Amino acid sequence: MKIVDWKVADDKKNIRDGAIELRASVSENLYVKLFETPEKAKFQVKNDRTFWRRKCIEKLELLNSSPISGKILEIGAGSGWCSALLSKKSEINHIDVLDYDKYSVTELMPLVFKNLDANTAKLTGVIGSYNDIKAEDNHYDYIISVGAIHHSENLDETFKECERVLKPGGFLIAIEHCHPNSYTKQQEINDNESLLSAERVKNLYGDANLKIKAKDNSDHNYRISEFEASAYKAGLNILPYIFEKGGEDADDDIFKNPKPYRGFTNRTFKPYFAKNNLAPVFDNLLVICQKTAVADSSIFKDINASPVKVGTKRTFLQKATAKIKRMLFS
């Protein structure tokens, strides 16, 4: 596997002091053990959480009505298990697998790729920041983030950079945890300052005596609206899928026939594709963004408006007719 260095230091302003070292510690103390043999690695990519995340990526293929293909960038890749599995897909030509922790890229990823039988000819490990992607504009067909973007110190910068390197019509998919828009600033401060339990610290970092706050590892408690606002400011169309146990009954039709909403009313769906529906393990937010493309190739349709051809204007009478139809039949 080829490894390249995109100079993390160039993005120091967007990386919390000590965060890279903590990430390396997690890789050395936890992830290496989880993936150290082929048997363990294959078991790891079948657990409840990984099963959910794999299924989320498959839903993008339903939404776009085509397989994931072309050039891929995985950001905040950690162990790289997702890229290892994607590398086996014939439609994918190449994957840049990015993380800002050198140990993860140079030591952990090669181990994971080997034990998951990845097609390493397609994979390049990248030491770098997803706020400073060393690729030309319009380069990638897809960007994938598996539980990584909530570590961003600057969501606006992250989405802006992803938009820049995506091809027109290309997709960013981010599988995340998030908070409702009612989550207050005081709650956020309290959560950020809280200490991780000794048991969790031991599991992650190998030393139960360490005093690690939630914010030390750049774990941010972003609200749904913050993801939406940053994507919008970057010029991306965004379709967030929010999951909770008490959400709407759902099946794959929510991806085959997406229904964007207006205003601040977010639809929530039951995690129907969790591995264990009786005790589902899931991330509550699936963000799907698409870079602006020609109108007829976009998955984002305004279901509340009458269809209008690009480059044409409706007359006053046409506008009035459309409004009356909406009033009568909505």
Side-chain angles (χ1 to χ4, degrees):
M1 178 188 76
K2 181 181 177 183
I3 294 176
V4 299
D5 187 353
W6 282 359
K7 308 298 181 186
V8 173
D10 291 349
D11 187 44
K12 264 298 186 184
K13 65 183 175 67
N14 287 316
I15 298 175
R16 185 180 181 83
D17 288 344
I20 295 177
E21 291 75 15
L22 284 177
R23 170 52 51 184
S25 181
V26 173
S27 292
E28 292 182 64
N29 289 290
L30 178 61
Y31 291 132
V32 163
K33 296 174 185 175
L34 295 177
F35 290 94
E36 63 186 352
T37 67
E39 293 73 25
K40 286 186 176 182
K42 290 176 174 62
F43 175 81
Q44 187 61 28
V45 296
K46 292 179 181 178
N47 68 28
D48 286 17
R49 178 73 65 182
T50 309
F51 179 88
W52 170 266
R53 291 172 169 180
R54 289 169 62 181
K55 288 295 180 181
C56 281
I57 295 169
E58 290 176 14
K59 302 310 176 188
L60 177 58
E61 297 188 338
L62 283 176
L63 193 67
N64 197 30
S65 302
S66 64
I68 294 176
S69 60
K71 294 179 182 178
I72 315 295
L73 171 66
E74 184 184 359
I75 59 176
S79 68
W81 67 262
C82 181
S83 288
L85 300 183
L86 288 175
S87 72
K88 302 177 188 182
K89 295 174 71 70
S90 60
E91 299 87 356
I92 291 176
N93 300 326
H94 184 79
I95 309 175
D96 285 330
V97 195
L98 180 147
D99 201 281
Y100 62 10
D101 162 34
K102 182 178 180 180
Y103 179 88
S104 291
V105 177
T106 61
E107 303 295 332
L108 178 60
M109 286 181 190
L111 174 70
V112 173
F113 294 162
K114 176 184 176 183
N115 288 337
L116 289 178
D117 304 315
N119 184 345
T120 54
K122 293 183 180 182
L123 298 168
T124 295
V126 181
I127 307 164
S129 166
Y130 49 49
N131 296 312
D132 186 25
I133 299 168
K134 308 291 190 185
E136 64 269 24
D137 296 354
N138 308 318
H139 185 70
Y140 294 106
D141 296 283
Y142 294 86
I143 297 175
I144 294 173
S145 168
V146 181
I149 287 184
H150 75 274
H151 289 290
S152 172
E153 297 292 339
N154 188 330
L155 274 184
D156 288 354
E157 195 83 12
T158 302
F159 278 99
K160 180 182 177 182
E161 187 68 345
C162 287
E163 191 277 341
R164 180 185 69 80
V165 298
L166 274 174
K167 295 178 181 179
F171 288 92
L172 163 64
I173 177 171
I175 303 156
E176 288 292 341
H177 74 263
C178 70
H179 287 269
N181 293 332
S182 58
Y183 184 74
T184 69
K185 197 66 183 177
Q186 189 58 53
Q187 286 175 305
E188 181 183 18
I189 292 170
N190 293 342
D191 288 343
N192 285 343
E193 294 295 330
S194 64
L195 287 171
L196 302 184
S197 68
E199 181 182 4
R200 181 163 172 75
V201 170
K202 171 69 174 175
N203 185 43
L204 291 174
Y205 308 107
D207 184 353
N209 295 315
L210 293 175
K211 303 300 181 185
I212 305 292
K213 294 181 179 180
K215 67 180 182 181
D216 292 335
N217 195 32
S218 297
D219 273 314
H220 294 288
N221 300 290
Y222 289 122
R223 302 157 188 79
I224 298 164
S225 58
E226 291 177 280
F227 285 101
E228 294 174 307
S230 292
Y232 182 81
K233 281 194 282 187
L236 292 164
N237 290 310
I238 178 170
L239 189 57
Y241 288 87
I242 306 158
F243 297 93
E244 58 182 41
K245 292 179 182 178
E248 299 178 40
D249 288 329
D251 55 29
D252 279 349
D253 192 57
I254 67 172
F255 292 100
K256 292 177 182 176
N257 298 291
K259 294 181 179 179
Y261 57 82
R262 285 184 166 186
F264 295 97
T265 305
N266 298 89
R267 302 177 72 198
T268 63
F269 304 98
K270 291 180 181 177
Y272 69 95
F273 54 87
K275 189 173 185 179
N276 180 358
N277 286 327
L278 297 178
V281 176
F282 60 99
D283 300 282
N284 63 345
L285 178 64
L286 171 58
V287 171
I288 297 176
C289 299
Q290 188 180 30
K291 186 167 179 173
T292 303
V294 291
D296 61 358
S297 70
S298 175
I299 63 165
F300 293 87
K301 312 295 183 185
D302 185 349
I303 61 167
N304 296 308
S306 298
V308 182
K309 291 183 179 180
V310 175
T312 65
K313 291 185 178 180
R314 289 182 294 177
T315 65
F316 174 82
L317 182 60
Q318 288 173 319
K319 291 178 182 178
T321 302
K323 184 176 181 179
I324 292 170
K325 284 182 179 178
R326 291 198 300 272
M327 291 172 63
L328 291 174
F329 301 112
S330 62

